[in-house]
Coordinates of all heavy atoms in Angstrom, one line a residue:
M1 N 0.9 -1.2 0.0 CA 0.0 0.0 0.0 C 0.9 1.2 0.0 O 1.5 1.6 1.0 CB -0.9 0.0 1.2 CG -2.1 -1.0 1.2 SD -3.3 -0.5 -0.1 CE -4.0 0.9 0.8
T2 N 0.9 2.0 -1.1 CA 1.6 3.2 -1.2 C 0.7 4.4 -1.4 O 1.2 5.5 -1.6 CB 2.7 3.1 -2.3 OG1 2.0 2.8 -3.5 CG2 3.7 2.1 -2.0
S3 N -0.6 4.2 -1.5 CA -1.5 5.3 -1.8 C -1.6 6.2 -0.6 O -1.5 5.8 0.5 CB -2.8 4.8 -2.2 OG -3.4 4.0 -1.1
T4 N -1.6 7.5 -0.9 CA -1.8 8.5 0.1 C -2.9 9.4 -0.2 O -3.4 9.4 -1.3 CB -0.5 9.3 0.2 OG1 -0.1 9.9 -1.0 CG2 0.7 8.5 0.7
C5 N -3.3 10.2 0.8 CA -4.4 11.1 0.6 C -3.9 12.4 -0.1 O -2.9 12.9 0.2 CB -5.0 11.5 1.9 SG -6.2 12.8 1.8
T6 N -4.6 12.8 -1.2 CA -4.2 13.9 -1.9 C -5.0 15.2 -1.5 O -4.8 16.3 -2.1 CB -4.5 13.7 -3.4 OG1 -5.8 13.4 -3.6 CG2 -3.6 12.6 -4.0
H7 N -5.8 15.1 -0.5 CA -6.6 16.2 -0.1 C -6.1 17.0 1.1 O -6.5 18.1 1.3 CB -8.0 15.7 0.3 CG -8.7 14.9 -0.8 ND1 -8.5 13.5 -0.9 CD2 -9.4 15.3 -1.8 CE1 -9.2 13.1 -2.0 NE2 -9.7 14.2 -2.6
L8 N -5.2 16.4 1.9 CA -4.8 17.0 3.1 C -4.3 18.4 3.0 O -4.6 19.3 3.7 CB -3.7 16.2 3.8 CG -4.2 15.0 4.7 CD1 -3.0 14.4 5.4 CD2 -5.2 15.5 5.7
D9 N -3.4 18.6 1.9 CA -2.8 19.9 1.7 C -3.8 21.0 1.2 O -3.5 22.1 1.1 CB -1.6 19.9 0.9 CG -1.9 19.2 -0.5 OD1 -3.1 18.9 -0.7 OD2 -1.0 19.0 -1.3
Q10 N -5.1 20.6 1.0 CA -6.1 21.5 0.5 C -7.0 21.9 1.6 O -7.9 22.7 1.5 CB -6.9 20.9 -0.6 CG -6.1 20.4 -1.8 CD -6.9 19.5 -2.7 OE1 -8.1 19.6 -2.8 NE2 -6.2 18.6 -3.4
I11 N -6.8 21.4 2.8 CA -7.7 21.5 3.9 C -7.1 22.3 5.1 O -6.0 21.9 5.5 CB -8.2 20.1 4.4 CG1 -9.1 19.5 3.3 CG2 -9.0 20.3 5.7 CD1 -9.5 18.0 3.7
A12 N -7.8 23.3 5.5 CA -7.4 23.9 6.8 C -8.2 23.3 7.8 O -9.5 23.6 7.9 CB -7.6 25.5 6.7
P13 N -7.7 22.5 8.7 CA -8.5 21.7 9.6 C -9.4 22.5 10.5 O -8.9 23.4 11.1 CB -7.5 20.8 10.3 CG -6.2 21.5 10.2 CD -6.2 22.2 8.8
A14 N -10.7 22.2 10.5 CA -11.6 22.9 11.4 C -11.7 22.2 12.7 O -11.5 21.0 12.9 CB -13.0 22.8 10.7
R15 N -12.0 23.0 13.7 CA -12.2 22.5 15.1 C -13.5 21.7 15.1 O -14.5 22.1 14.5 CB -12.3 23.6 16.1 CG -11.0 24.3 16.4 CD -11.2 25.5 17.2 NE -11.9 25.2 18.5 CZ -11.3 24.8 19.6 NH1 -10.0 24.8 19.6 NH2 -11.9 24.5 20.7
P16 N -13.5 20.6 15.8 CA -14.8 19.8 16.0 C -15.9 20.7 16.5 O -15.7 21.5 17.4 CB -14.4 18.7 16.9 CG -12.9 18.5 16.8 CD -12.4 19.9 16.5
E17 N -17.1 20.6 15.9 CA -18.2 21.5 16.4 C -18.7 21.1 17.7 O -19.2 21.9 18.5 CB -19.3 21.3 15.3 CG -19.1 22.1 14.1 CD -20.2 21.8 13.0 OE1 -21.0 20.9 13.2 OE2 -20.2 22.6 12.0
T18 N -18.6 19.8 18.1 CA -19.1 19.3 19.4 C -18.0 18.4 19.9 O -17.2 17.9 19.2 CB -20.4 18.5 19.2 OG1 -20.2 17.5 18.3 CG2 -21.5 19.4 18.7
V19 N -18.1 18.2 21.2 CA -17.2 17.4 21.9 C -17.9 16.3 22.7 O -18.9 16.6 23.4 CB -16.3 18.2 22.9 CG1 -15.4 17.2 23.7 CG2 -15.4 19.2 22.2
G20 N -17.6 15.0 22.4 CA -18.1 14.0 23.2 C -19.5 13.4 22.8 O -20.0 12.6 23.5
E21 N -20.1 13.9 21.7 CA -21.3 13.4 21.3 C -21.6 13.6 19.8 O -21.0 14.5 19.2 CB -22.5 14.1 22.1 CG -22.6 15.6 21.8 CD -23.7 16.2 22.7 OE1 -23.9 15.7 23.8 OE2 -24.3 17.2 22.2
C22 N -22.3 12.7 19.3 CA -22.8 12.8 17.9 C -24.1 13.6 17.9 O -25.1 13.0 18.4 CB -23.0 11.4 17.2 SG -23.7 11.5 15.6
P23 N -24.1 14.8 17.4 CA -25.4 15.6 17.5 C -26.5 15.0 16.8 O -27.7 15.2 17.3 CB -25.0 17.0 16.9 CG -23.7 16.8 16.2 CD -23.0 15.6 16.8
E24 N -26.3 14.3 15.7 CA -27.5 13.7 15.0 C -28.0 12.5 15.8 O -29.2 12.3 15.8 CB -27.1 13.3 13.6 CG -26.8 14.5 12.7 CD -26.1 14.2 11.4 OE1 -24.9 14.2 11.4 OE2 -26.8 13.9 10.5
C25 N -27.2 11.8 16.5 CA -27.7 10.7 17.3 C -28.4 11.3 18.5 O -29.4 10.7 18.9 CB -26.5 9.8 17.8 SG -25.9 8.6 16.5
V26 N -27.9 12.3 19.1 CA -28.5 13.0 20.2 C -29.9 13.4 19.8 O -30.9 13.2 20.5 CB -27.7 14.1 20.8 CG1 -28.5 15.0 21.8 CG2 -26.4 13.6 21.4
A27 N -30.0 14.0 18.6 CA -31.3 14.5 18.1 C -32.3 13.4 17.9 O -33.5 13.6 18.1 CB -31.1 15.3 16.8
T28 N -31.9 12.2 17.6 CA -32.8 11.2 17.3 C -32.9 10.2 18.4 O -33.6 9.2 18.3 CB -32.4 10.4 16.0 OG1 -31.1 9.9 16.2 CG2 -32.4 11.3 14.8
G29 N -32.2 10.4 19.5 CA -32.2 9.4 20.6 C -31.4 8.2 20.3 O -31.6 7.2 21.0
G30 N -30.5 8.2 19.4 CA -29.7 7.0 19.0 C -28.5 6.9 19.9 O -28.2 7.8 20.7
T31 N -27.7 5.9 19.6 CA -26.4 5.7 20.3 C -25.3 5.5 19.3 O -25.6 5.2 18.1 CB -26.5 4.4 21.2 OG1 -26.8 3.3 20.4 CG2 -27.5 4.6 22.3
W32 N -24.1 5.7 19.7 CA -23.0 5.6 18.8 C -21.9 4.9 19.5 O -21.9 4.7 20.7 CB -22.5 7.0 18.4 CG -22.0 7.8 19.5 CD1 -20.8 7.9 20.1 CD2 -22.9 8.8 20.3 NE1 -20.8 8.8 21.2 CE2 -22.0 9.3 21.3 CE3 -24.2 9.1 20.2 CZ2 -22.5 10.3 22.2 CZ3 -24.7 10.1 21.2 CH2 -23.8 10.6 22.1
V33 N -20.9 4.5 18.7 CA -19.7 3.7 19.2 C -18.5 4.6 19.4 O -18.0 4.8 20.4 CB -19.4 2.5 18.3 CG1 -18.2 1.7 18.9 CG2 -20.7 1.6 18.3
H34 N -18.1 5.2 18.2 CA -16.9 6.1 18.2 C -17.3 7.3 17.4 O -18.2 7.3 16.6 CB -15.7 5.4 17.6 CG -15.2 4.3 18.3 ND1 -15.0 3.0 17.8 CD2 -14.8 4.1 19.6 CE1 -14.6 2.2 18.7 NE2 -14.4 2.8 19.8
L35 N -16.5 8.4 17.7 CA -16.9 9.7 17.1 C -15.8 10.1 16.1 O -14.6 9.9 16.4 CB -17.0 10.8 18.1 CG -18.2 10.6 19.1 CD1 -18.2 11.6 20.2 CD2 -19.5 10.7 18.3
R36 N -16.2 10.7 15.0 CA -15.3 11.2 14.0 C -15.6 12.7 13.7 O -16.8 13.0 13.8 CB -15.4 10.4 12.7 CG -15.4 8.9 12.9 CD -14.0 8.4 13.3 NE -13.9 7.0 13.5 CZ -13.5 6.3 14.6 NH1 -13.1 7.0 15.6 NH2 -13.4 5.1 14.6
A37 N -14.6 13.5 13.4 CA -14.9 14.9 13.0 C -14.4 15.1 11.6 O -13.3 14.7 11.2 CB -14.2 15.8 14.0
C38 N -15.2 15.9 10.8 CA -14.9 16.3 9.5 C -13.8 17.4 9.6 O -13.9 18.3 10.3 CB -16.1 16.8 8.8 SG -15.8 17.5 7.2
L39 N -12.7 17.2 8.8 CA -11.6 18.1 8.9 C -12.0 19.4 8.1 O -11.4 20.5 8.4 CB -10.3 17.6 8.2 CG -9.4 16.7 9.0 CD1 -8.0 16.6 8.3 CD2 -9.2 17.3 10.4
E40 N -12.9 19.3 7.2 CA -13.2 20.5 6.4 C -14.1 21.5 7.1 O -14.0 22.7 7.0 CB -13.9 20.0 5.1 CG -14.1 21.1 4.1 CD -13.6 20.7 2.7 OE1 -12.9 19.7 2.5 OE2 -13.9 21.5 1.8
C41 N -15.1 20.9 7.8 CA -16.1 21.9 8.4 C -16.3 21.6 9.9 O -17.0 22.4 10.6 CB -17.5 21.7 7.7 SG -18.3 20.2 8.0
G42 N -15.7 20.6 10.5 CA -15.8 20.3 11.9 C -17.0 19.6 12.4 O -17.2 19.3 13.5
H43 N -17.8 19.1 11.4 CA -19.0 18.3 11.7 C -18.6 17.0 12.4 O -17.7 16.3 11.9 CB -19.8 18.0 10.4 CG -21.0 17.2 10.7 ND1 -21.0 15.9 10.7 CD2 -22.3 17.6 10.8 CE1 -22.3 15.5 11.0 NE2 -23.1 16.5 11.0
V44 N -19.3 16.7 13.5 CA -19.0 15.5 14.2 C -20.1 14.4 13.9 O -21.3 14.8 13.9 CB -18.9 15.8 15.7 CG1 -18.8 14.5 16.5 CG2 -17.7 16.7 16.0
G45 N -19.6 13.3 13.6 CA -20.5 12.2 13.3 C -20.0 10.9 13.9 O -18.8 10.8 14.3
C46 N -20.8 9.8 13.9 CA -20.4 8.6 14.4 C -19.8 7.6 13.4 O -20.1 7.8 12.2 CB -21.6 7.9 15.2 SG -23.1 7.9 14.3
C47 N -19.0 6.7 13.9 CA -18.2 5.8 13.0 C -19.1 4.7 12.3 O -20.3 4.6 12.6 CB -17.1 5.2 13.8 SG -17.7 3.9 14.9
D48 N -18.4 4.0 11.5 CA -19.2 2.9 10.8 C -19.5 1.7 11.6 O -20.2 0.8 11.2 CB -18.4 2.5 9.5 CG -18.5 3.4 8.4 OD1 -19.3 4.4 8.5 OD2 -17.8 3.2 7.4
S49 N -19.0 1.7 12.9 CA -19.4 0.6 13.8 C -20.7 1.1 14.5 O -21.3 0.3 15.3 CB -18.3 0.4 14.8 OG -17.2 -0.1 14.2
S50 N -21.1 2.3 14.4 CA -22.3 2.8 15.0 C -23.5 2.6 14.1 O -23.4 2.5 12.9 CB -22.2 4.3 15.2 OG -20.9 4.6 15.9
P51 N -24.7 2.4 14.7 CA -25.9 2.1 13.9 C -26.2 3.1 12.8 O -26.6 2.7 11.7 CB -27.0 2.0 14.9 CG -26.4 1.8 16.2 CD -25.0 2.4 16.1
A52 N -26.0 4.3 13.0 CA -26.4 5.4 12.1 C -25.3 5.8 11.1 O -25.6 6.5 10.2 CB -27.0 6.6 12.8
T53 N -24.0 5.5 11.4 CA -22.9 5.9 10.5 C -23.0 7.3 10.0 O -22.9 7.6 8.8 CB -22.8 4.9 9.3 OG1 -23.9 5.0 8.5 CG2 -22.6 3.4 9.8
H54 N -23.1 8.2 11.0 CA -23.3 9.6 10.6 C -22.1 10.3 9.9 O -22.2 11.2 9.1 CB -23.8 10.5 11.8 CG -25.2 10.3 12.1 ND1 -25.7 10.0 13.4 CD2 -26.3 10.3 11.3 CE1 -27.0 9.9 13.3 NE2 -27.4 10.0 12.1
A55 N -20.9 9.8 10.2 CA -19.7 10.4 9.6 C -19.7 10.0 8.1 O -19.4 10.9 7.3 CB -18.4 9.8 10.3
T56 N -20.0 8.8 7.8 CA -20.1 8.4 6.3 C -21.2 9.2 5.7 O -21.1 9.6 4.5 CB -20.2 6.9 6.2 OG1 -19.1 6.3 6.8 CG2 -20.4 6.5 4.8
A57 N -22.4 9.3 6.4 CA -23.5 10.0 5.8 C -23.1 11.5 5.5 O -23.6 12.1 4.5 CB -24.7 10.0 6.8
H58 N -22.3 12.1 6.4 CA -21.9 13.5 6.2 C -21.0 13.5 4.9 O -21.2 14.5 4.1 CB -21.1 13.9 7.4 CG -20.5 15.3 7.2 ND1 -21.3 16.4 7.2 CD2 -19.2 15.8 7.0 CE1 -20.5 17.5 7.0 NE2 -19.3 17.2 6.9
F59 N -20.1 12.6 4.7 CA -19.3 12.6 3.5 C -20.2 12.4 2.3 O -20.1 13.2 1.3 CB -18.3 11.4 3.5 CG -17.7 11.1 2.1 CD1 -17.0 12.1 1.5 CD2 -18.0 9.9 1.5 CE1 -16.5 11.8 0.2 CE2 -17.6 9.7 0.2 CZ -16.8 10.6 -0.4
R60 N -21.2 11.5 2.3 CA -22.1 11.3 1.2 C -22.9 12.6 0.9 O -23.2 12.9 -0.3 CB -23.1 10.2 1.4 CG -22.4 8.8 1.5 CD -23.2 7.7 0.9 NE -22.6 6.4 1.1 CZ -22.8 5.7 2.2 NH1 -23.7 6.0 3.0 NH2 -22.2 4.5 2.3
A61 N -23.3 13.3 1.9 CA -24.1 14.5 1.7 C -23.3 15.7 1.3 O -23.8 16.6 0.5 CB -24.8 14.8 3.1
T62 N -22.0 15.8 1.7 CA -21.3 17.0 1.5 C -20.1 16.9 0.5 O -19.6 17.8 0.0 CB -20.7 17.6 2.8 OG1 -19.8 16.6 3.3 CG2 -21.8 17.8 3.8
G63 N -19.6 15.6 0.4 CA -18.3 15.4 -0.3 C -17.1 15.8 0.4 O -16.0 15.8 -0.2
H64 N -17.2 16.2 1.7 CA -16.0 16.5 2.4 C -15.2 15.3 2.6 O -15.6 14.3 3.2 CB -16.4 17.1 3.8 CG -17.1 18.5 3.7 ND1 -17.8 19.0 4.8 CD2 -17.2 19.3 2.7 CE1 -18.3 20.2 4.4 NE2 -17.9 20.4 3.1
P65 N -13.9 15.3 2.1 CA -13.2 14.0 2.0 C -12.6 13.4 3.2 O -12.5 12.2 3.3 CB -12.2 14.3 0.9 CG -11.9 15.8 1.1 CD -13.2 16.4 1.5
V66 N -12.1 14.2 4.1 CA -11.3 13.7 5.2 C -11.9 13.9 6.6 O -12.4 15.0 6.9 CB -9.9 14.4 5.2 CG1 -9.0 13.7 6.2 CG2 -9.3 14.3 3.8
M67 N -11.9 12.9 7.4 CA -12.3 13.0 8.8 C -11.2 12.5 9.7 O -10.3 11.8 9.2 CB -13.7 12.3 9.0 CG -13.7 10.8 8.7 SD -13.1 9.8 10.0 CE -13.7 8.2 9.5
R68 N -11.3 12.8 10.9 CA -10.3 12.2 11.9 C -11.1 11.7 13.1 O -12.2 12.1 13.4 CB -9.3 13.3 12.3 CG -9.9 14.4 13.2 CD -8.8 15.4 13.6 NE -9.2 16.5 14.4 CZ -9.2 16.5 15.7 NH1 -8.9 15.4 16.4 NH2 -9.7 17.5 16.4
S69 N -10.4 10.8 13.8 CA -10.9 10.3 15.0 C -10.9 11.4 16.1 O -9.9 12.1 16.2 CB -10.1 9.1 15.5 OG -10.6 8.7 16.8
V70 N -11.9 11.5 16.9 CA -11.8 12.4 18.0 C -12.0 11.6 19.3 O -12.3 12.1 20.4 CB -12.9 13.5 18.0 CG1 -12.5 14.6 17.0 CG2 -14.3 13.0 17.7
E71 N -11.7 10.3 19.2 CA -11.6 9.5 20.4 C -10.4 9.9 21.2 O -9.3 10.1 20.7 CB -11.6 8.0 20.1 CG -12.8 7.5 19.4 CD -14.0 7.6 20.4 OE1 -13.9 7.2 21.5 OE2 -15.1 8.1 19.9
P72 N -10.5 9.9 22.6 CA -9.3 10.2 23.4 C -8.2 9.4 23.1 O -8.3 8.1 23.0 CB -9.9 10.0 24.8 CG -11.3 10.1 24.7 CD -11.7 9.6 23.4
G73 N -7.0 10.0 22.9 CA -5.8 9.2 22.7 C -5.6 8.8 21.2 O -4.5 8.2 20.9
E74 N -6.6 8.9 20.4 CA -6.4 8.5 19.0 C -6.0 9.7 18.1 O -6.6 10.8 18.3 CB -7.7 7.9 18.5 CG -8.1 6.6 19.1 CD -9.2 5.9 18.4 OE1 -9.7 6.3 17.4 OE2 -9.7 4.8 18.9
H75 N -5.1 9.5 17.2 CA -4.7 10.6 16.3 C -4.4 10.0 15.0 O -3.3 9.6 14.6 CB -3.4 11.2 16.9 CG -3.0 12.5 16.2 ND1 -3.9 13.6 16.1 CD2 -1.9 13.0 15.6 CE1 -3.4 14.6 15.5 NE2 -2.1 14.3 15.2
W76 N -5.5 9.9 14.2 CA -5.4 9.4 12.8 C -6.6 9.9 12.1 O -7.6 10.4 12.7 CB -5.3 7.9 12.8 CG -6.5 7.3 13.5 CD1 -6.5 6.9 14.8 CD2 -7.8 6.9 13.0 NE1 -7.8 6.3 15.1 CE2 -8.5 6.3 14.0 CE3 -8.3 7.0 11.7 CZ2 -9.8 5.9 13.8 CZ3 -9.6 6.6 11.5 CH2 -10.4 6.0 12.5
G77 N -6.5 9.8 10.8 CA -7.6 10.3 9.9 C -7.9 9.2 8.9 O -7.3 8.2 8.7
W78 N -9.0 9.5 8.1 CA -9.4 8.6 7.1 C -9.9 9.5 5.9 O -10.7 10.5 6.1 CB -10.6 7.7 7.6 CG -11.2 7.0 6.5 CD1 -12.5 7.2 6.0 CD2 -10.8 5.8 5.9 NE1 -12.8 6.3 5.0 CE2 -11.8 5.4 4.9 CE3 -9.6 5.0 6.0 CZ2 -11.6 4.3 4.1 CZ3 -9.5 3.9 5.2 CH2 -10.5 3.5 4.3
C79 N -9.5 9.2 4.7 CA -10.0 9.9 3.6 C -11.0 9.0 2.8 O -10.6 7.8 2.4 CB -8.8 10.2 2.6 SG -9.4 11.0 1.1
F80 N -12.2 9.4 2.7 CA -13.2 8.6 2.1 C -13.0 8.5 0.6 O -13.3 7.5 0.0 CB -14.6 9.3 2.3 CG -15.1 9.3 3.7 CD1 -15.0 10.4 4.5 CD2 -15.7 8.1 4.2 CE1 -15.5 10.4 5.8 CE2 -16.2 8.1 5.5 CZ -16.1 9.2 6.3
V81 N -12.4 9.5 0.0 CA -12.2 9.5 -1.4 C -11.1 8.6 -1.8 O -11.2 7.7 -2.7 CB -12.0 10.9 -2.0 CG1 -11.6 10.9 -3.5 CG2 -13.2 11.8 -1.7
D82 N -10.0 8.7 -1.1 CA -8.8 7.9 -1.5 C -8.9 6.5 -0.8 O -8.1 5.6 -1.2 CB -7.5 8.6 -1.0 CG -7.3 9.8 -1.8 OD1 -7.4 9.8 -3.0 OD2 -7.0 10.9 -1.2
G83 N -9.7 6.4 0.3 CA -9.8 5.1 0.9 C -8.6 4.7 1.7 O -8.2 3.5 1.8
V84 N -7.9 5.7 2.3 CA -6.7 5.4 3.0 C -6.8 6.0 4.4 O -7.4 7.0 4.7 CB -5.4 6.0 2.3 CG1 -5.2 5.3 1.0 CG2 -5.6 7.5 2.1
T85 N -6.1 5.3 5.3 CA -5.9 5.8 6.7 C -4.8 6.8 6.7 O -3.7 6.5 6.1 CB -5.6 4.6 7.7 OG1 -6.7 3.7 7.6 CG2 -5.5 5.1 9.1
I86 N -4.9 7.9 7.4 CA -3.9 8.9 7.5 C -3.2 8.8 8.8 O -3.9 9.1 9.8 CB -4.4 10.3 7.2 CG1 -5.1 10.3 5.8 CG2 -3.4 11.4 7.3 CD1 -6.2 11.4 5.7
P87 N -2.0 8.4 8.9 CA -1.3 8.3 10.2 C -1.2 9.6 10.9 O -1.1 10.7 10.3 CB 0.0 7.7 9.9 CG 0.2 7.8 8.5 CD -1.1 8.0 7.8
G88 N -1.1 9.6 12.2 CA -1.1 10.8 13.0 C 0.0 11.8 12.6 O -0.2 13.0 12.6
R89 N 1.2 11.3 12.2 CA 2.3 12.2 11.9 C 2.0 12.9 10.6 O 2.7 13.9 10.4 CB 3.6 11.4 11.8 CG 3.6 10.4 10.7 CD 4.9 9.5 10.8 NE 4.6 8.1 10.4 CZ 4.5 7.7 9.1 NH1 4.6 8.7 8.1 NH2 4.2 6.5 8.8
Q90 N 1.1 12.5 9.8 CA 0.7 13.2 8.6 C -0.5 14.1 8.8 O -0.8 14.9 7.9 CB 0.4 12.2 7.5 CG 1.7 11.5 7.0 CD 1.3 10.5 5.9 OE1 0.3 10.5 5.3 NE2 2.2 9.5 5.7
M91 N -1.1 14.1 9.9 CA -2.3 14.9 10.2 C -1.9 16.3 10.4 O -0.9 16.6 11.0 CB -3.0 14.4 11.4 CG -3.7 13.0 11.2 SD -5.0 13.0 10.0 CE -6.3 13.9 10.9
P92 N -2.7 17.2 9.8 CA -2.4 18.7 10.0 C -2.7 19.1 11.4 O -3.4 18.5 12.1 CB -3.4 19.4 9.0 CG -4.5 18.4 8.8 CD -3.9 17.0 9.0
Ligands
ZN1 ZN1 -7.7 12.2 0.2
ZN2 ZN1 -24.5 9.5 14.9
ZN3 ZN1 -17.8 18.4 6.7

């Protein structure tokens, strides 16, 4: 695997809009497993292990390519377009 994300240098990373919760799950009374934040706009959504997969839904709705984990102690990202994990040392 030598593929890398081509979007990182086009993004000024946004601060997560919320901390510790998926706002869409809160709104619907749902639950989540892990939280991800969009690097482009700061939208927080839940991971693909969560029932509602709001992080992926956000990508489908907006086309914002890169999200990162906002779990405590985790420092990595994921590009939906390139399909690659972005290691912490490459994160902006
Ligand atoms: Zn990318
Ligand atoms: Zn959610
Ligand atoms: Zn976004």
Side-chain angles (χ1 to χ4, degrees):
M1 286 291 289
T2 55
S3 57
T4 55
C5 174
T6 55
H7 303 90
L8 273 185
D9 53 3
Q10 304 165 28
I11 294 174
R15 288 171 56 87
E17 286 176 346
T18 58
V19 175
E21 63 184 31
C22 174
E24 288 168 270
C25 282
V26 169
T28 58
T31 57
W32 61 87
V33 180
H34 295 124
L35 294 173
R36 311 292 182 231
C38 176
L39 274 197
E40 187 131 349
C41 71
H43 181 274
V44 173
C46 47
C47 72
D48 281 354
S49 299
S50 309
T53 65
H54 283 130
T56 297
H58 177 71
F59 163 67
R60 291 214 186 95
T62 63
H64 294 165
V66 184
M67 59 85 161
R68 69 178 179 93
S69 175
V70 286
E71 291 298 313
E74 291 190 7
H75 193 54
W76 55 270
W78 169 258
C79 179
F80 289 103
V81 175
D82 295 312
V84 294
T85 301
I86 303 157
R89 63 189 147 77
Q90 290 177 18
M91 291 293 286

